[in-house]
Amino acid sequence: MEIRGVIFDLDGVLCHTDHYHYLAWKALADRLGLPFDERVNDRLRGVSRMDSLEIVLSLGEKQFTQAEKEQMAEEKNRRYRSYLAKMGPEALAPGAVDVLRDLKAQGWKLAVGSSSKNAPLILERTGLEGYFDTVADGSQITRSKPDPEVFLLAARKLNLCPSECIVVEDAVAGIQAAKAGGFFAVGIGDAANAPGADASISGLKEIPILCKKFRMPL
Ligand code: BG6
Ligand code: MG
């Protein structure tokens, strides 16, 4: 295998926005009288905003129109973005900047592959903008993870084949997406023991070590 690129999921891998997603969904669920908790929140990892809303609404019986659902998604996103607006580099996962700097210096191509439409704001708030050759995010795709679309787009934008890229993911849906697209899937955090993952790591600092096992990029 000749690996030349690393595609990082964003939420839950490079930075910790999970709690802000949780708080924003929780506020909506409370208003609707739905029993939302951290366990349900874990099921939303890697899943698009509208698909996440469907999971939240499935906690109750009530049916809603498309217009009502769009309003709810907007309400959640407004609250979520108000948390992001106050967030800074302290939200980064331990070692994130060092690892990205290290990989970049060694010549690896780097991309973000995220289901989030807020990826540009998160990259700006955390100061990660300059580290990536390209970003593929929720605003550029029509099918969210476990569909491989976002990772295939990231690889295409890097001018690499899936078999030349490692994908780093914290979501089971993300590992499934990576495998469906033909990528080498590395699980971290919640997805550390995900079925189908090709490797598992306990922290970002293990990535350069993992990369060294493969042939160095030209
Ligand atoms: C993913 C998160 O990165 O982005 C999901 O893991 C989230 O939980 C999805 O639902 C979409 O995010 P956004 O920011 O577009 O609402
Ligand atoms: Mg994630």
Side-chain angles (χ1 to χ4, degrees):
M1 188 164 41
E2 216 170 304
I3 299 287
R4 296 173 192 278
V6 186
I7 303 173
F8 290 88
D9 171 52
L10 185 57
D11 294 313
V13 170
L14 291 173
C15 64
H16 298 304
T17 44
D18 324 39
H19 192 59
Y20 300 139
H21 275 297
Y22 168 78
L23 292 174
W25 282 125
K26 176 81 179 139
L28 176 71
D30 284 353
R31 180 172 78 66
L32 298 171
L34 299 171
F36 183 79
D37 59 19
E38 298 271 5
R39 254 176 25 146
V40 183
N41 194 54
D42 280 342
R43 288 169 53 201
L44 311 183
R45 282 177 200 278
V47 178
S48 73
R49 193 180 310 160
M50 289 313 279
D51 289 349
S52 296
L53 176 66
E54 291 297 342
I55 294 174
V56 173
L57 294 180
S58 75
L59 300 170
E61 303 286 309
K62 206 165 168 224
Q63 300 297 311
F64 297 94
T65 65
Q66 190 55 30
E68 286 172 325
K69 287 180 188 175
E70 270 156 29
Q71 254 178 19
M72 288 176 200
E74 222 177 279
E75 174 185 333
K76 183 265 171 180
N77 194 47
R78 219 175 308 124
R79 190 167 274 113
Y80 177 57
R81 283 179 71 94
S82 74
Y83 293 120
L84 295 184
K86 287 179 244 152
M87 183 183 85
E90 78 289 342
L92 288 172
V97 167
D98 290 343
V99 166
L100 292 171
R101 200 178 282 140
D102 210 21
L103 291 173
K104 209 171 160 56
Q106 289 173 21
W108 295 88
K109 287 195 179 181
L110 304 180
V112 168
S114 167
S115 301
S116 175
K117 294 182 175 170
N118 291 301
L121 175 62
I122 295 169
L123 291 172
E124 183 202 313
R125 296 298 312 166
T126 53
L128 285 191
E129 275 168 319
Y131 290 95
F132 300 96
D133 297 290
T134 194
V135 173
D137 68 31
S139 61
Q140 303 162 38
I141 54 165
T142 52
R143 296 177 306 278
S144 149
K145 301 166 189 176
D147 190 284
E149 187 179 0
V150 79
F151 294 138
L152 293 174
L153 177 64
R156 197 160 60 240
K157 289 171 96 177
L158 288 178
N159 272 319
L160 294 176
C161 301
S163 62
E164 294 176 304
C165 302
I166 289 177
V167 165
V168 188
E169 256 296 344
D170 73 308
V172 174
I175 295 289
Q176 290 167 343
K179 290 316 293 170
F183 296 87
F184 185 92
V186 178
I188 189 170
D190 237 49
N193 298 308
D198 296 299
S200 135
I201 55 175
S202 57
L204 291 176
K205 288 179 183 156
E206 290 174 47
I207 295 175
I209 303 163
L210 192 77
C211 283
K212 276 187 192 128
K213 286 191 187 164
F214 301 105
R215 210 182 112 167
M216 286 298 292
L218 296 173

